[in-house]
C-alpha cells in the first residue's frame, strides 16, 4: 500500500481511485480488510513529538561555557577548603539556573494541538451499513459521508457532492468556503484549488458529499505540516547568538589569563595555593555572573509591558527579537484583514455606489454614490438591489455582547450588512414579503433563487443571486434607476463594471428578479431559465483593518519591510496589498504578485532574490511559506512571521519570531508561535516591535554597565599578580560585588522608559555586534578608571597604616560606588541625564539607596565582616570613595558630549 501514499488523487478519475484503493462505493470495506489496514497504517492520529522533560530542561540551564568555569572554580575552592567562597560560587550558579528554569517558555505543544484537531467522529460505510465511528478508526479506502457542520476526518478524494462547501481557511488561507466538485483536475493543480479533495481538520459548512479516504494520520496534509513543525529547527535569537559568541571568547580568554596568572605567580616564587585562589578570583571577576539573570528579568519586564499592549509573549527571547526584526511576513486573512466579508461596491440602475465601513457591524459605515458626496440610500434601484441581497439569503446576522456575528455563509452575511447600511432591516423585509419557496445554491447552476409573496393579489417575485456569468444570459432587461421601469440590458457596460470590481480583488455577485402569477407550486429552474430583469451587482472583499494600514506605514518608516504571504487568490492579495500600502504596491498600478505555482519553479538562489524583491505571495503552500522565511533568513534578515491558520504553523516555528492571532488563530498556530496577539490586530505587532527595541536598548545598557566591572576586577587581579603584591579583592568579595550590584543597580536599567524617536531609526543590523566601537571604548575607559581607583586607594590605605582587610573593604566599596554613579551614565548611552530627565526612572534611585544600605551592612555588620573578610572604615575613606565615583561620572558624561559632536560632524 505504500505506493499509494504519494498518488496525485485529484488528477485521477473517481472510479480509478476506488479501484486503486480496492474499495467499493456500494458497501465500503469489510471488517477483515479494515483490521488489516488499521494494523498496516495505524490509527488516524498525528504522532506526538517527544518534548524535553522538566529535569532535562533544568540541567540544560547549566549547559553554558561561563557556568562551566564557575562550577570548576567552585570545585577548586572546595578542594582548597575555602568553604565560604565555594558556597557562594555554587549559590550563584544555582540561583541563575533556577531563574532560567522558571522563566523558560513551556515546551512547544504544537504537535499535541494538531492531534487534538483530528479528534472527531465520522459517518462511514462498512459492510453495506452506515455507521458512526471515531475518526481515529478510519483507514485508507473507507467510504465517508460529509454534511454541513462536519469536521473532515481524514484526507479524502470526493466521489459525489451536492452543494458541498468546505471552510479551508485554517489550511490554505482561503477566506471563503470552497465549493467542491467530484470531477478530475489537472496534474499541477495547487492544493488550494483542488475542488475534488477534502482535507483533514477542515470544516464542511454547507451541502453534502461522499468521499474515499486516501490518507490518514501523519500522511494527511495536516499530518505533513506536523512533520514540518517537528523537523523545523528553532533558531537562537540575535541577542542569544551574540551572548553565546561573547561567552565562548570570554571562556578562552579567562582560561588563558588564569594559566598565565598561575605561571607568573609560580615563577615569582608564590605558593600554588595562592595562585589557584588568584586564578579563581580572576575567573569569577571576569565572568558577568549577573548577566543571565539580568537578561531574563529585563525580558520578563518587556513581557509585562507588551501584555498591556495586547501582545502575549510565550517565549522570553521573542521580546528582544522583535526589536531586531527587519522583515515581517504577514498572512492576509484575519491578520491584515478583518476576516469578515464586506460589501464595498454596488452597481444598480447604471450607477456605482461605494460602501464604507468594514466587518459585520452595520453601524460602521454607509452608502454613497461614487460620483458625488451624497447619500445614495434613497435610490430606488439601489434599494431593490439591497432588498434582493437580504431576501435571497439563508444566513442570520446577530449581535452578541457587542460583537456582530454571522450564522451561516460569510458572503450572505455581507449582503445582510449592506442592506442594513442602506436602511433595510432583513427581518422586516421578510415579514412584508414572506418566502414561499427557494432553490438552494448548486454549483452546477451557480445561483440561488427565492420566491416571495406580495399579497393583495399582486404577482409573486423571484429574487436571484449568483455568478454574473450564470445570471446575465437569462436576463432580457435591466432595472432602471427609478426602480420600477425596465430598460434594455447593457451587457457591455455591465461587463465593464464587473471587470472594475474583480480587478480590485472583489468577489462579484449579480442580482435579478422575475414576477410570477400567484401560485402554490413554488419555483423551479425552468421558471428562471429566461425573462429575468437584471437588478445590479454587489462587490465584496475581506477588507483590511484600518489600524493595519497605519501600522504598516509605521513599520516601513522604522525600516521594517512588510511582506504578505497568503494562500488566497492573487487578485485578492494584490488588492489588499494596494490598500495597506505594502512595498511596491503604492498607488493604483499593478501589484507584482508571485503565486505558489511560480514559486515551485524557482531554484533556491532565485527564491532568495524573489523573497527579497517581492512584497506579495499568493496561493502559497505551507512548505513555500517555510521556504520563503528561510530564503529571507539566508539574506541575513531577522524574520517575524504572523498567521492564524494550521498552514502557518511551520513558518511560525521556523521564523526568528512567530506571531499568532489570539481570537481567530488556531491552537496549532498559537502553540507554534513565540507571541500571541490578544486583539488579532496588526497594529499590536508595531507596538510589540517598539517595545522590543526598548528592551534591546535596556539590555545593551546593562551590558555596557556591567562589563567595566568585570574588566576592572580582572585588571586588578592581573596587575597585583604581575607586580607581586597582595590581591586588593578576594573571590568571595568579587562575587558579592557582581551579584549585589547586578540585582540592585543594573536591573534598574530594565525599568528605563523607551527613549524618544525609537521608531524613527532603522532596525539593528543582525550582523552588527552588541557593542559598537564607541561603547567598547567606554567599557575600557570605565574599566581602567576602576583599576586606577580601586588599586590606587587600596595601596593608599596600606601606605597610611591600614590593615589589608580594611584596604580591601575600601577597594570593594570603590567598585560599588563607581558602579552606582556609572549607572546614571548608562540610563542613556548617548544622551545626558538632563536630556533624558532626572526623575524618569525612580527605580534607579531606589536601587541606589538599597545598594548603599547593603554596603553599610557589608562594612559595619560583624557577621558580614566574618563572611566576606571586611572591616569598618572611616569618613575620610568614604570621602575618597565618593570622589572617585563622582569623577568617573563626570569623565563619562564628557566622553558622551565629545562622541555626540564627532557623530554630528
Amino acid at each position: 500500500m505504500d505506493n499509494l501514499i504519494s498518488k496525485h488523487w485529484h488528477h485521477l478519475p473517481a472510479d480509478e481511485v476506488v479501484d486503486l484503493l480496492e474499495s467499493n462505493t456500494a458497501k465500503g470495506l469489510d471488517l477483515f480488510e479494515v483490521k488489516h489496514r488499521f494494523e498496516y497504517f495505524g490509527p488516524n492520529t498525528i504522532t506526538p513529538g517527544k518534548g524535553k522533560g522538566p529535569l532535562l530542561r533544568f540541567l540544560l540551564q547549566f549547559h553554558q561555557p561561563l557556568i562551566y568555569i564557575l562550577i570548576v572554580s567552585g570545585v577548586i575552592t572546595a578542594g582548597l577548603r575555602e568553604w565560604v567562597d565555594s558556597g557562594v560560587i555554587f549559590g550563584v550558579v544555582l540561583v541563575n539556573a533556577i531563574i532560567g528554569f522558571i522563566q523558560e517558555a513551556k515546551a512547544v505543544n504544537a504537535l499535541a494541538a494538531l492531534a487534538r484537531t483530528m479528534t472527531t467522529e465520522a459517518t462511514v460505510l462498512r459492510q453495506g451499513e452506515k455507521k458512526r465511528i471515531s475518526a481515529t478508526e478510519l483507514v485508507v479506502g473507507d467510504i465517508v459521508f460529509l454534511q454541513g457542520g462536519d469536521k473532515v476526518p481524514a484526507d479524502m478524494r470526493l466521489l459525489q457532492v451536492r452543494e458541498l462547501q468546505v471552510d479551508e481557511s485554517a489550511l490554505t488561507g482561503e477566506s471563503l468556503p470552497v465549493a467542491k466538485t467530484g470531477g478530475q483536475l489537472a496534474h499541477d493543480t495547487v492544493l488550494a484549488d483542488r475542488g475534488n479533495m477534502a482535507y483533514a481538520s477542515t470544516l464542511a459548512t454547507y451541502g453534502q458529499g461522499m468521499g474515499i479516504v486516501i490518507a490518514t494520520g501523519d500522511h494527511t496534509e495536516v499530518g505533513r505540516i506536523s512533520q514540518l513543525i517537528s523537523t523545523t529547527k528553532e533558531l537562537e535569537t540575535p541577542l542569544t547568538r551574540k551572548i553565546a559568541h561573547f561567552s565562548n571568547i570570554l571562556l578562552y580568554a579567562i582560561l588563558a589569563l588564569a594559566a598565565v596568572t598561575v605561571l607568573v605567580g609560580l615563577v615569582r616564587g608564590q605558593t600554588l595555593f595562592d595562585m589557584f585562589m588568584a586564578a579563581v578570583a580572576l575567573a569569577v571577576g571576569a565572568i558577568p555572573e549577573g548577566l543571565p539573570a539580568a537578561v531574563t528579568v529585563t525580558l520578563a519586564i518587556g513581557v509585562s509591558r507588551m501584555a498591556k499592549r495586547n501582545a502575549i509573549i510565550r517565549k522570553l527571547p521573542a521580546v528582544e527579537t522583535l526589536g531586531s526584526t527587519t522583515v515581517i511576513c504577514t498572512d492576509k486573512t484575519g491578520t491584515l484583514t478583518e476576516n469578515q466579508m464586506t460589501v464595498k461596491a454596488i452597481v444598480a440602475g447604471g450607477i456605482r455606489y461605494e460602501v464604507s465601513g468594514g466587518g459585520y457591524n452595520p453601524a460602521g459605515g454607509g452608502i454613497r454614490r461614487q460620483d458625488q458626496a451624497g447619500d445614495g440610500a434613497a435610490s430606488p434601484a439601489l434599494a431593490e438591489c439591497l432588498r434582493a441581497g437580504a431576501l435571497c439569503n439563508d444566513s442570520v446576522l446577530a449581535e452578541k455582547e457587542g460583537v456582530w456575528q454571522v450564522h451561516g455563509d460569510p458572503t450572505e452575511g455581507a449582503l445582510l450588512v449592506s442592506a442594513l447600511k442602506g436602511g433595510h432591516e432583513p427581518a422586516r423585509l421578510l415579514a412584508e414579503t414572506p418566502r414561499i419557496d427557494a432553490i438552494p445554491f448548486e454549483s452546477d447552476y451557480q445561483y440561488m433563487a427565492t420566491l416571495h409573496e406580495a399579497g393583495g393579489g399582486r404577482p409573486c417575485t423571484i429574487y436571484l443571486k449568483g455568478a454574473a456569468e450564470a445570471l446575465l444570459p437569462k436576463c432580457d432587461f435591466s432595472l432602471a434607476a427609478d426602480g420600477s421601469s425596465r430598460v434594455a440590458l447593457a451587457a457591455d457596460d455591465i461587463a465593464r463594471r464587473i471587470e472594475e470590481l474583480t480587478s480590485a480583488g472583489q468577489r462579484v455577485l449579480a442580482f435579478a428578479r422575475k414576477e410570477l402569477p400567484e401560485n402554490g407550486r413554488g419555483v423551479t429552474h425552468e421558471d428562471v431559465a429566461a425573462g429575468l430583469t437584471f437588478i445590479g451587482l454587489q462587490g465584496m472583499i475581506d477588507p483590511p483593518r484600518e489600524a493595519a494600514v497605519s501600522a504598516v506605514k509605521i513599520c516601513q518608516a522604522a525600516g521594517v519591510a512588510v511582506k504578505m504571504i497568503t494562500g488566497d487568490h492573487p487578485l485578492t492579495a494584490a488588492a489588499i496589498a494596494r490598500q495597506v500600502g505594502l512595498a511596491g504596491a503604492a498607488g493604483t498600478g499593478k501589484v507584482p504578485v508571485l503565486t505558489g505555482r511560480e514559486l515551485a519553479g524557482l531554484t533556491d538562489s532565485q527564491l532568495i532574490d524573489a523573497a527579497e524583491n517581492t512584497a506579495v505571495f499568493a496561493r502559497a503552500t505551507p512548505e513555500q511559506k517555510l521556504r520563503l522565511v528561510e530564503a529571507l533568513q539566508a539574506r541575513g534578515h531577522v524574520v517575524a512571521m504572523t498567521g492564524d491558520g494550521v498552514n502557518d504553523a511551520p513558518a511560525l516555528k521556523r521564523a526568528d519570531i512567530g506571531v499568532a492571532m489570539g481570537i481567530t488563530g488556531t491552537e496549532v498556530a498559537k502553540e507554534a508561535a513565540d507571541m500571541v496577539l490578544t486583539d488579532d490586530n496588526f497594529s499590536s505587532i508595531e507596538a510589540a516591535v517598539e517595545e522590543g527595541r526598548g528592551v534591546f536598548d535596556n539590555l545593551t545598557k546593562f551590558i555596557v554597565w556591567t562589563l567595566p566591572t568585570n574588566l576592572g576586577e580582572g585588571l586588578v587581579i592581573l596587575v597585583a599578580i604581575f607586580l607581586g603584591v597582595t590581591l586588593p579583592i578576594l573571590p568571595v568579595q568579587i562575587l558579592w560585588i557582581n551579584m549585589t550590584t547586578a540585582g540592585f543597580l543594573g536591573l534598574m536599567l530594565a525599568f528605563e522608559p523607551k527613549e524618544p524617536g525609537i521608531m524613527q531609526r532603522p532596525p539593528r543590523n543582525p550582523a552588527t555586534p552588541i557593542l559598537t566601537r564607541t561603547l567598547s571604548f567606554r567599557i575600557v575607559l570605565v574599566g581602567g578608571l576602576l583599576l586606577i581607583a580601586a588599586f590606587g586607594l587600596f595601596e593608599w590605605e596600606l601606605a597610611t597604616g591600614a590593615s589589608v582587610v580594611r584596604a580591601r573593604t575600601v577597594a570593594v566599596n570603590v567598585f560599588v560606588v563607581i558602579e552606582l554613579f556609572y549607572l546614571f551614565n548608562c540610563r542613556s548611552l548617548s544622551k545626558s541625564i538632563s536630556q533624558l530627565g532626572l526623575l524618569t526612572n525612580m527605580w534607579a534611585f531606589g536601587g541606589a539607596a538599597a545598594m548603599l544600605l547593603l554596603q553599610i551592612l557589608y562594612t559595619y555588620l560583624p557577621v558580614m565582616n566574618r563572611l566576606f573578610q571586611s572591616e569598618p572604615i572611616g569618613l575620610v575613606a568614604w570621602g575618597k570613595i565618593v570622589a572617585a565615583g563622582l569623577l568617573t561620572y563626570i569623565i563619562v558624561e564628557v566622553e558622551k558630549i565629545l562622541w555626540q559632536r564627532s557623530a554630528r560632524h
Side-chain angles (χ1 to χ4, degrees), residues 532-876:
L532 303 183
T533 299
F534 173 74
I535 300 174
L537 306 168
Q538 293 198 45
M540 61 191 69
I541 196 169
D542 180 12
R545 297 175 181 270
E546 291 182 12
V549 179
S550 59
V552 167
K553 288 181 180 176
I554 293 173
C555 286
Q556 290 170 341
V560 180
V562 181
K563 298 179 184 292
M564 179 197 297
I565 307 177
T566 178
D568 216 335
H569 194 279
L571 274 178
T572 306
I576 296 297
R578 249 194 318 271
Q579 293 175 52
V580 299
L582 292 188
T588 58
K590 185 178 180 181
V591 178
V593 179
L594 274 179
T595 65
R597 186 174 295 182
E598 291 166 336
L599 286 173
L602 299 181
T603 64
D604 287 345
S605 60
Q606 290 172 331
L607 181 69
I608 291 172
D609 290 336
E612 182 75 18
N613 300 317
T614 308
V616 184
F617 303 88
R619 287 289 192 238
T621 65
E623 292 93 339
Q624 287 169 341
K625 290 188 178 188
L626 188 57
R627 282 188 71 206
L628 284 167
V629 170
E630 291 171 336
L632 288 165
Q633 289 169 337
R635 276 284 174 92
H637 286 292
V638 176
V639 181
M641 169 73 188
T642 73
D644 58 358
V646 174
N647 61 324
D648 298 321
L652 287 174
K653 191 163 181 282
R654 179 66 174 99
D656 294 276
I657 174 168
V659 185
M661 303 297 112
I663 299 173
T664 59
T666 60
E667 284 302 309
V668 180
K670 292 176 190 176
E671 296 294 346
D674 303 284
M675 184 174 86
V676 179
L677 303 182
T678 59
D679 59 352
D680 283 18
N681 199 327
F682 187 85
S683 63
S684 295
I685 300 172
E686 178 272 320
V689 169
E690 183 180 335
E691 292 294 342
R693 290 188 174 192
V695 167
F696 194 94
D697 282 355
N698 290 348
L699 285 172
T700 304
K701 291 171 186 176
F702 177 87
I703 292 169
V704 172
W705 172 84
T706 194
L707 289 186
T709 306
N710 303 111
L711 177 62
E713 290 164 345
L715 288 174
V716 165
I717 301 299
L718 282 174
V719 170
I721 295 298
F722 278 91
L723 294 179
V725 299
T726 305
L727 293 179
I729 46 178
L730 298 174
V732 69
Q733 294 169 338
I734 291 173
L735 284 170
W736 166 266
I737 294 169
N738 290 356
M739 294 307 293
T740 55
T741 56
F744 290 94
L745 295 180
L747 279 182
M748 300 307 106
L749 293 171
F751 298 96
E752 195 65 37
K754 297 183 294 294
E755 294 186 28
I758 199 169
M759 287 299 282
Q760 273 73 57
R761 68 191 192 205
R764 286 179 58 88
N765 185 333
T768 302
I770 298 175
L771 301 176
T772 62
R773 185 176 300 177
T774 302
L775 296 180
S776 298
F777 171 78
R778 190 176 301 165
I779 289 168
V780 173
L781 172 66
V782 178
L785 292 173
L786 280 166
L787 166 66
I788 294 168
F791 204 92
L793 288 181
F794 173 76
E795 291 296 331
W796 191 348
E797 289 296 310
L798 290 178
T800 56
S803 66
V804 172
V805 175
R806 180 174 297 178
R808 282 176 173 157
T809 305
V810 170
V812 169
N813 279 297
V814 165
F815 269 95
V816 172
V817 171
I818 287 180
E819 284 189 83
L820 190 152
F821 276 96
Y822 184 50
L823 173 74
F824 290 91
N825 292 123
C826 289
R827 286 191 55 206
S828 174
L829 298 177
S830 58
K831 298 180 176 66
S832 68
I833 197 75
S834 59
Q835 292 174 302
L836 203 62
L838 181 65
L839 303 179
T840 51
N841 184 1
M842 295 304 295
W843 286 92
F845 290 96
M851 191 68 241
L852 286 175
L853 178 61
L854 273 179
Q855 280 310 111
I856 291 171
L857 296 176
Y858 171 90
T859 305
Y860 297 105
L861 197 64
V863 65
M864 301 293 278
N865 297 155
R866 288 194 300 273
L867 282 174
F868 293 98
Q869 301 181 44
S870 60
E871 186 178 300
I873 59 176
L875 287 177
V876 175

Side-chain angles (χ1 to χ4, degrees), residues 39 364 471:
E39 290 172 352
L471 290 187

Side-chain angles (χ1 to χ4, degrees), residues 172-257:
T172 67
E174 177 66 58
S175 53
L176 290 170
V178 179
K180 293 297 181 178
T181 63
Q184 188 177 352
L185 298 174
H187 184 276
D188 61 349
T189 305
V190 297
L191 185 142
D193 294 332
R194 293 175 187 171
N196 60 6
M197 301 290 294
Y199 294 103
S201 82
T202 60
L203 182 69
T205 60
Y206 186 81
Q208 298 175 334
M210 180 184 81
I212 184 168
V213 174
I214 54 93
T216 59
D218 291 337
H219 299 298
T220 62
E221 287 296 323
V222 74
R224 202 160 44 78
I225 293 173
S226 166
Q227 293 167 9
L228 285 174
I229 295 174
S230 63
T231 57
T232 299
K233 181 183 177 183
E234 289 189 68
L235 294 181
E236 294 177 301
T237 72
L239 181 71
T240 56
R241 282 195 291 262
K242 289 182 174 72
I243 289 179
H245 179 65
F246 168 74
S247 299
N248 288 327
I249 293 174
L250 191 59
L251 169 65
Y252 296 119
I254 290 170
L255 293 176
L257 288 173

